[in-house]
Amino acid sequence: MWSYGEMDRLRAATKSDHVESPVSIEQVGQRTRSFDWLSASGQALHWVESVPSRGGSVVGTWTQARGLQLGTVDVGNSVHAYGGGPYAASSGGIWTTTAADGQIWLNDKIQYTRDQRQHGDLVFNDGLLLAVRESSDRDQLIAINPATHRTQVIHEASFIASPRLNRGRLTWMQWGSAVMPWDSAEVWVADYDPAGSLTRMKLIAGGPDESASQPRWGPDGHLYFMSDRSGWWNLYRTAGQAIVPVAAMQAECAPAPWELGYSTYAFLPQGRLAVITQVGPESRLALVAGDGTWHDLPTPYTSLKPYLAAADDRLSVIGSAPAISQQIALVPTSGTDQIEVVRHSNEDPQAVSCVSVPEEISVPSGGADVTVIFYPAQGIGPRRPTPVIVRAHAGPTYQAEIRLDWEVQFFTSRGFAVADVDYRGSTGYGRTYRKALDGRWGELDVIDCQNAARHLIHTGCAMPTAIFITGASAGGYTALKAVCTPDTPFALAVARSAIINPGDWITTAPRFQRPHAAILSHPNADVTPDEVCRPVAMIHGGADTVAPAADAVDLAASLKSRGLLANLVVLPDVGHYLRSPQAIKAALDAELAAYRTVLTDLGL
């Protein structure tokens, strides 16, 4: 775990006062390989690995004996728009969903589904493959028998996730069509009949004011799950007719379930458990004893993805830190520091020899204390005014992360400081903070970002005339709204894949996300061109199905007529996420050019 004293030493060690050469756009694109959906089966680790050179993802498998093997077929799905759980390991091989159409295959050779619907959240239990299949208006929980190729629909609901089967007992989570799963979700159990019917269905946890998720059967036969009934997502289990906390703490032990397949706790030998915890922007590992006592397990990571699996007495994690690029590692639970790194996202050991290391700043804002992760410009020295880029994360229910971000380093190596803001609505601060943005989107997040900017100006970290705001998706919306007040401290907004009209978004958003638009929105939520007070640059994917590109084109036309359009870049055949090196290059080119135009006009 990095303490901030250790970060001070790291800042000195990484020569943040000297820049040998700026991070190039090509280097950013090359270093965007990432890992997700890590799991363990027997002696093997499995994960999904992005391949930037082809804009797709493959399944990776590692064993001590055979080393690394990478699949050749692009895997993925778009269940609930954001997808997840695109593979499952079994004794018969690897089950996957194909990125092209969301269909289920075994070992990339045998196709088990053939329809227009998306499949995801794959898991292999009791000799059956379980999966979630999404239709236009509801979900189906299906079971596939590998021997007979028979597909059974065993349950239907508006939204379903996390099916788990153990000796004829089935559990899953579900939620209604008018809510988001981080606000209200339920965990159910039932008896599963081999003929495909469910009996003795019972609601275990969840309701209008409780989000319950990640149900799993423990080695002890009890049902475990996450719930935020205390105000924090903590781990619980059933004990007869009672529900008891496994380890109560003021920390988030689960993320907002945007994607399928999250797993933030793991069962260990001797009745122990491990949990990923998050307090503010920092992730940690906690070891939980059988009596509920727990302690932090030291690691070098400050950011852990929401995938945790036990491999005997070790924990497999996807971790990163300010000077550690994303890696898959095996962490011993015995207290030793012999961490085994299985896979690096960046194979160049010199790549992190000179990076900007952040500090955490608390900024008062509207009665709340808002966390800002501040990366100083390289080559400038501490606490000297520089151009600053304030970033609104792509939440709203997400958070800033303390990790090596090559887009941040791209700008800090060019004399910009970067400030990530955990505005109200972010995860990592409990349910009350997370729900503060309901009905106040484009207001409280904007106030928090503006107050962060003013704080950086007041403390001498930012040039008053050269402070910018940027964001993607929901963060792009926040960036646009942040330049809609006459007293804004921002000289320019850069919006990537931005949501522009929340009122319309209630009907144009993917089915999964429409309730979110309604929950967040209010009569004055839309970005009104006449209210924009500063220049705006926009980068948008032409094939974006989450935030329609037509909205960006319309806004750009209005801003151009008022002389406030800095640039509009529409990337053909690119969706909501800019994943390919080509799309990233185009976005960074446009963003840097917009900032430099402002600086040139200022004589800087």
Side-chain angles (χ1 to χ4, degrees):
M1 207 78 60
W2 292 107
S3 71
Y4 283 96
E6 289 170 326
M7 286 193 182
D8 287 339
R9 290 190 291 275
L10 181 59
R11 273 188 281 276
T14 54
K15 312 173 191 175
S16 62
D17 61 340
H18 175 69
V19 182
E20 294 182 359
S21 61
V23 175
S24 71
I25 289 177
E26 288 72 23
Q27 288 173 320
V28 174
Q30 292 165 2
R31 293 168 182 168
T32 54
R33 182 170 62 189
S34 64
F35 312 116
D36 291 286
W37 295 290
L38 177 67
S39 67
S41 63
Q43 300 301 309
L45 297 183
H46 310 281
W47 63 87
V48 172
E49 179 169 325
S50 67
V51 184
S53 61
R54 72 184 197 194
S57 298
V58 299
V59 174
T61 298
W62 177 90
T63 62
Q64 195 80 52
R66 301 183 64 183
L68 173 69
Q69 294 176 300
L70 292 178
T72 59
V73 174
D74 284 348
V75 300
N77 58 75
S78 59
V79 176
H80 304 167
Y82 296 92
Y87 79 92
S90 71
S91 59
I94 304 293
W95 299 80
T96 59
T97 58
T98 50
D101 57 11
Q103 300 305 299
I104 297 174
W105 291 69
L106 176 60
N107 295 327
D108 300 338
K109 297 177 180 178
I110 306 173
Q111 186 172 1
Y112 275 79
T113 60
R114 289 180 171 85
D115 58 46
Q116 300 300 312
R117 293 169 289 187
Q118 291 282 321
H119 301 77
D121 220 350
L122 274 55
V123 63
F124 197 85
N125 292 151
D126 284 9
L128 297 174
L129 180 77
L130 304 179
V132 174
R133 180 164 67 191
E134 184 179 24
S135 300
S136 60
D137 61 347
R138 62 195 297 99
D139 287 351
Q140 294 178 334
L141 175 53
I142 65 172
I144 297 177
N145 186 318
T148 65
H149 285 233
R150 182 187 178 193
T151 298
Q152 297 173 318
V153 178
I154 56 180
H155 183 58
E156 295 189 59
S158 293
F159 292 98
I160 300 173
S162 302
R164 294 293 187 275
L165 182 62
N166 182 42
R167 299 178 182 178
R169 288 288 281 165
L170 179 70
T171 184
W172 69 94
M173 66 175 285
Q174 67 181 51
W175 62 97
S177 61
V179 297
M180 298 306 296
W182 48 81
D183 292 330
S184 173
E186 302 169 341
V187 166
W188 287 75
V189 297
D191 290 341
Y192 171 74
D193 186 290
S197 62
L198 298 182
T199 57
R200 294 203 301 161
M201 290 178 59
K202 182 181 179 181
L203 174 63
I204 299 298
D209 299 311
E210 179 185 0
S211 170
S213 64
Q214 295 188 45
R216 293 174 62 189
W217 300 105
D220 55 7
H222 293 297
L223 179 67
Y224 290 74
F225 59 91
M226 292 290 178
S227 168
D228 67 351
R229 58 179 58 192
S230 71
W232 299 86
W233 271 308
N234 279 189
L235 187 61
Y236 292 79
R237 69 173 177 87
T238 56
Q241 298 300 311
I243 294 174
V244 297
V246 173
M249 60 182 78
Q250 287 196 333
E252 301 285 29
C253 300
W258 280 92
E259 298 171 310
L260 301 173
Y262 292 156
S263 180
T264 54
Y265 63 99
F267 301 104
L268 290 164
Q270 290 86 50
R272 298 173 302 152
L273 295 104
V275 182
I276 296 175
T277 68
Q278 181 194 343
V279 178
E282 185 176 2
S283 301
R284 303 180 183 181
L285 278 180
L287 283 183
V288 183
D291 62 0
T293 58
W294 61 275
H295 65 275
D296 284 339
L297 177 65
T299 77
Y301 308 118
T302 52
S303 179
L304 295 166
K305 283 197 167 183
Y307 311 104
L308 182 66
D312 295 327
D313 199 38
R314 294 191 293 177
L315 295 167
S316 56
V317 301
I318 303 173
S320 54
I324 302 176
S325 56
Q326 196 178 111
Q327 55 189 223
I328 297 171
L330 287 165
V331 179
T333 59
S334 58
T336 67
D337 58 358
Q338 299 302 311
I339 292 176
E340 181 178 2
V341 177
V342 171
R343 183 74 165 150
H344 294 272
S345 65
N346 182 4
E347 302 294 351
D348 179 6
Q350 301 302 316
V352 295
S353 62
C354 183
V355 297
S356 176
V357 178
E359 63 176 305
E360 186 176 322
I361 301 170
S362 182
V363 176
S365 181
D369 291 326
V370 173
T371 298
V372 177
I373 308 301
F374 182 73
Y375 296 81
Q378 297 181 50
I380 303 298
R383 299 294 178 182
R384 287 183 58 188
T386 60
V388 173
I389 303 167
V390 172
R391 300 201 309 176
H393 62 70
T397 53
Y398 196 61
Q399 74 284 328
E401 297 172 297
I402 304 175
R403 63 178 179 85
L404 182 55
D405 183 328
W406 286 110
E407 290 196 23
V408 169
Q409 303 304 323
F410 174 83
F411 288 107
T412 58
S413 67
R414 284 167 170 78
F416 296 87
V418 176
D420 286 337
V421 181
D422 264 353
Y423 52 81
R424 279 171 284 183
S426 302
T427 299
Y429 306 86
R431 182 180 176 98
T432 300
Y433 192 91
R434 186 175 74 246
K435 289 187 67 61
L437 209 56
D438 291 0
R440 303 293 302 275
W441 195 24
E443 295 178 1
L444 300 186
D445 49 332
V446 166
I447 291 170
D448 293 345
C449 289
Q450 290 179 339
N451 283 337
R454 294 183 181 107
H455 178 87
L456 294 174
I457 293 169
H458 178 72
T459 55
C461 297
M463 291 180 176
T465 57
I467 190 161
F468 313 106
I469 185 166
T470 186
S473 191
Y477 167 77
T478 299
L480 292 173
K481 292 292 283 188
V483 293
C484 287
T485 57
D487 63 344
T488 182
F490 300 113
L492 171 83
V494 178
R496 183 186 297 186
S497 305
I499 295 153
I500 294 169
N501 299 316
D504 294 339
W505 198 49
I506 293 172
T507 58
T508 61
R511 180 178 75 98
F512 165 78
Q513 208 166 355
R514 287 173 199 162
H516 200 204
I519 291 165
L520 293 169
S521 193
H522 51 87
N524 298 317
D526 288 2
V527 177
T528 303
D530 291 345
E531 292 181 343
V532 176
C533 303
R534 299 288 189 274
V536 168
M538 289 185 287
I539 302 109
H540 218 99
D544 192 335
T545 59
V546 175
D551 290 349
V553 173
D554 291 344
L555 177 61
S558 297
L559 294 178
K560 185 176 182 179
S561 69
R562 298 182 56 220
L564 290 175
L565 179 64
N567 197 4
L568 170 66
V569 176
V570 177
L571 305 172
D573 303 320
V574 172
H576 193 59
Y577 297 104
L578 311 186
R579 290 191 173 99
S580 72
Q582 295 80 11
I584 293 169
K585 180 181 185 304
L588 290 177
D589 269 335
E591 187 170 346
L592 181 60
Y595 299 146
R596 283 179 166 168
T597 296
V598 174
L599 296 178
T600 300
D601 290 345
L602 292 171
L604 300 175

